Amino acid sequence: MIVVTGATGRLGRFVIEGLLKKVPANQVAVAVRNPDKAKDWAARGVQVRKADYSHPETWDGVFSQGDTVLLISSSEVGQRRKQHQTVVDAAKKAGVKLLAYTSILHADTSRIVLAPEHLDTEKAIRASGLPFVFLRHSWYLENYTEAAKRTLEQGVLRGCAKDGRVAPATRQDYADAAVAVLTGTGHENQVYELAGDTGFTLPEYVAELSRQSGKTVTYQDLPPAEFSAVLQQAGLPKGYADVLANADEGIARGDLNDTGRTLSRLIGHPTTTLAESLAATLPQG
C-alpha cells in the first residue's frame, strides 16, 4: 500500500489525485484526522484510516509491513516535533518499506525559524533506520499568486526580503514530485532540494504583476519588525506575522532559493513559472 498522512490538506489532495492516475485505488490509503473529508476518495476505493498527529494511540494499525508512506508535515508550528515523532514511531513499528517526508528547502543550513522542526523530524527518521526520502520544499508559488488580487487593490507589496531571490513552485509541482517518488524506484535515502526552475525577487514579482494587470504595483522593503507590524495590522496573529517576516529575512539570505532544478527533473517537465501562475490567477480581460 501507499499511505499518505494529512491527505486532506491542499498538498495532500494533489498527491492523492496524482497517485490515482498511476496506481489502482485499492493500493492507496489515507491517514486523516477527519474521515468525512475523505468520503470522495472512499467512494473511489481508497482506504480511509482515521489518525491524528496529536493522538499517538490512533496510529496503531495504520501502517503495515512493506508499505510506502508519505508523511506530509503538520501545519501546527511548534507541535511538529512531537506529532511527527508519533508517525515515525508507528512507521518503524510496522516496518514500512519507505518513509518520505515533506521538509523545507536546505533544512540543514536554513536559518528560517520553521527549519529546526523539519530538521529534527529528518533526524528522527534517520534514527529510525527506515529507508527514507526527504522532499525539501521551497515556498509555495500560491503564497504570492493567491494574494495578487489584494496586492493589486493596495498597489503596493510590503516585505523585508530586500533583493533576495525565492524559487517557489506550485503545490501541483511538489505533489507530482511526491507521486514520482512514491511510485518509482531508486529513491531510497535521497535528499531532494525542490524548488522552482526560475527564482525571482519581490521587485521582479511586482513588475510581472504590473505587466499582466496593467496596473502599477510597487515593492516597499521594510525592517522585519515593521513588516510584522503591518501584517498584524492586517489581522494576522503576532506569531504568524513574525514567522512570515522571518521567512522574508530568509529569502534575503537565499534560504528559499535553489538553482539545481531537481524538482523539474523529478517530475519530467519544467516547473510552473510565475508568469504562468499569475495568468491563471488574475481575471482575464
Side-chain angles (χ1 to χ4, degrees):
M1 298 289 292
I2 298 174
V3 187
V4 180
T5 77
T8 53
R10 297 179 69 185
L11 175 65
R13 287 199 164 273
F14 283 121
V15 172
I16 299 302
E17 290 302 324
L19 287 173
L20 292 176
K21 293 175 183 176
K22 292 236 179 162
V23 298
N26 63 7
Q27 293 179 19
V28 179
V30 295
V32 296
R33 182 168 52 188
N34 184 355
D36 285 343
K37 292 183 177 180
K39 282 182 177 178
D40 53 334
W41 292 326
R44 293 160 66 182
V46 173
Q47 290 189 26
V48 178
R49 303 168 182 176
K50 184 174 181 178
D52 189 325
Y53 288 143
S54 297
H55 295 278
E57 71 279 1
T58 64
W59 291 90
D60 289 342
V62 169
F63 306 129
S64 299
Q65 186 172 6
D67 284 348
T68 297
V69 176
L70 174 63
L71 166 55
I72 294 180
S73 59
S74 164
S75 60
E76 297 181 61
V77 177
Q79 302 298 315
R80 288 167 164 168
R81 288 180 179 87
K82 184 177 180 181
Q83 291 177 334
H84 295 167
Q85 186 68 59
T86 291
V87 181
V88 173
D89 290 344
K92 180 179 180 180
K93 182 179 178 181
V96 305
K97 181 174 68 175
L98 182 73
L99 178 56
Y101 171 64
T102 60
S103 187
I104 194 170
L105 192 69
H106 307 307
D108 50 346
T109 59
S110 175
R111 286 183 281 162
I112 290 176
V113 71
L114 297 174
E117 284 187 306
H118 286 294
L119 184 59
D120 283 351
T121 300
E122 290 187 8
K123 290 177 178 177
I125 292 172
R126 288 183 186 272
S128 75
L130 293 169
F132 65 84
V133 182
F134 298 149
L135 302 167
R136 290 177 169 176
H137 293 180
S138 180
W139 239 210
Y140 290 128
L141 189 51
E142 290 91 342
N143 290 351
Y144 299 102
T145 56
E146 290 179 356
K149 182 180 178 182
R150 183 174 67 251
T151 302
L152 283 171
E153 291 171 351
Q154 296 174 343
V156 60
L157 175 69
R158 296 179 177 88
C160 57
K162 301 185 184 299
D163 287 321
R165 301 190 75 79
V166 59
T170 62
R171 287 184 177 86
Q172 183 68 69
D173 286 339
Y174 289 128
D176 288 347
V179 170
V181 165
L182 296 172
T183 61
T185 58
H187 300 290
E188 291 81 2
N189 303 328
Q190 296 297 308
V191 178
Y192 293 130
E193 305 287 357
L194 304 181
D197 288 341
T198 306
F200 54 84
T201 66
L202 295 191
E204 289 170 347
Y205 163 70
V206 296
E208 180 61 25
L209 181 57
S210 299
R211 185 187 73 80
Q212 290 203 25
S213 67
K215 178 179 179 180
T216 300
V217 182
T218 59
Y219 173 64
Q220 181 182 11
D221 200 75
L222 301 171
E226 287 187 30
F227 179 43
S228 177
V230 167
L231 295 174
Q232 291 172 60
Q233 291 166 8
L236 292 185
K238 183 181 186 304
Y240 186 38
D242 287 345
V243 165
L244 293 180
N246 176 267
D248 260 23
E249 291 183 274
I251 291 171
R253 292 189 299 265
D255 289 348
L256 289 171
N257 188 38
D258 189 88
T259 58
R261 300 201 170 196
T262 302
L263 178 53
S264 57
R265 286 199 300 273
L266 266 180
I267 63 180
H269 59 78
T271 60
T272 307
T273 66
L274 171 63
E276 291 168 341
S277 191
L278 278 175
T281 304
L282 295 175
Q284 299 302 307

